[in-house]
Amino acid sequence: MNKEARVQFVINTLKELYPTIPVPLDHKDPYTLLIAVLLSAQCTDVRVNQITPLLFAKADNPYDMIKMSVEEIKEIIRPCGLSPMKSKGIYGLSHILIDKYDGKVPQSFEALESLPAVGHKTASVVMSQAFGVPAFPVDTHIHRLMHRWNLSNGKNVVQTEKDAKRLFPREIWNDLHLQIIWYGREYSPARGWNLEKDIITRTVGKRSLIEEAAKKKI
């Protein structure tokens, strides 16, 4: 199977498995999505979805957020990890949104990435999920699966994103990156991986990985 055929198999299988695609992080608008994505760094989406209702009950917009202190924000978001950095980022970016953007989340990669604690992945998620702009945010699941499927060398997320954008049609990026995340969680996790359940890796994956998994089974 050549690379083009493998890419098409991935697209077709994911479309069949996930015809409707839920967004993993609960939110109601671009601002609450931005905060949720920021909190998800080195934290599970499940945990973030437990914490954001507590935070958003007090402040679900930048104007209410800056009425709280950094310390108050930090106490609420502590279970998400990295709370000193994240709380300063949330407070700081909320101020900037008010001062520079009339309290609204800007709709450009450059503007988003200039905000405190907002990196390229966070900006990509907001651009794709809040504004519908084609983007391909690469999280640990996508990075792992692109390598397992022999579609990227797995050296770093920057290279993985470039490979994904080169291989997959731009018009499906926003759906596809979510489909890969759900597939990674359900069928191809980092731990407890079962090749028998993982039809995509079993069909198009790196030969060395498949052989290694087969040996372990023996």
Side-chain angles (χ1 to χ4, degrees):
M1 198 184 283
N2 64 25
K3 188 167 272 190
E4 194 176 300
R6 285 189 284 120
V7 165
Q8 196 57 52
F9 180 81
V10 168
I11 293 169
N12 292 346
T13 305
L14 290 173
K15 199 170 183 180
E16 197 175 310
L17 287 170
Y18 305 104
T20 56
I21 312 149
V23 175
L25 292 167
D26 297 337
H27 66 283
K28 65 174 185 175
D29 56 23
Y31 178 76
T32 52
L33 177 63
L34 174 61
I35 301 305
V37 180
L38 188 157
L39 289 174
S40 72
Q42 295 184 37
C43 180
T44 66
D45 292 346
V46 171
R47 176 64 58 85
V48 173
N49 288 338
Q50 290 168 344
I51 298 305
T52 47
L54 307 176
L55 179 64
F56 296 153
K58 289 180 176 288
D60 63 358
N61 61 79
Y63 297 95
D64 287 335
M65 195 65 77
I66 64 168
K67 291 175 186 172
M68 298 171 70
S69 67
V70 171
E71 198 59 39
E72 285 175 301
I73 298 169
K74 186 169 80 172
E75 279 307 306
I76 295 170
I77 68 169
R78 191 183 296 279
C80 290
L82 305 176
S83 57
M85 180 272 287
K86 290 176 180 177
S87 56
K88 284 178 189 169
I90 289 169
Y91 186 83
L93 73 80
S94 297
H95 255 295
I96 292 169
L97 293 183
I98 292 166
D99 295 341
K100 282 185 74 173
Y101 302 105
D102 297 322
K104 294 183 172 62
V105 176
Q107 298 187 34
S108 82
F109 285 96
E110 188 181 9
L112 284 167
E113 289 177 35
S114 71
L115 297 172
V118 176
H120 179 65
K121 182 202 153 195
T122 298
S124 295
V125 173
V126 172
M127 289 297 284
S128 66
Q129 294 176 15
F131 302 125
V133 175
F136 213 108
V138 173
D139 74 344
T140 54
H141 296 289
I142 293 173
H143 186 52
R144 178 177 70 254
L145 295 188
M146 286 290 289
H147 178 58
R148 279 185 180 171
W149 297 343
N150 206 16
L151 298 177
S152 186
N153 60 25
K155 282 186 179 174
N156 55 61
V157 293
V158 174
Q159 186 59 49
T160 299
E161 183 180 340
K162 282 181 185 171
D163 291 334
K165 286 180 170 178
R166 179 173 51 82
L167 292 168
F168 295 111
R170 179 182 173 88
E171 62 270 17
I172 65 169
W173 287 355
N174 289 356
D175 283 348
L176 192 73
H177 89 266
L178 288 173
Q179 288 169 323
I180 296 175
I181 290 169
W182 288 113
Y183 184 88
R185 291 176 179 177
E186 198 170 349
Y187 297 101
S188 194
R191 295 177 184 176
W193 177 43
N194 182 346
L195 186 62
E196 291 300 309
K197 291 181 181 175
D198 186 351
I199 185 173
I200 296 180
T201 306
R202 209 169 69 234
T203 307
V204 306
K206 286 172 77 77
R207 190 179 294 277
S208 57
L209 277 175
I210 293 168
E211 287 171 354
E212 193 182 326
K215 280 178 191 171
K216 284 179 182 174
K217 195 176 178 186
I218 294 165

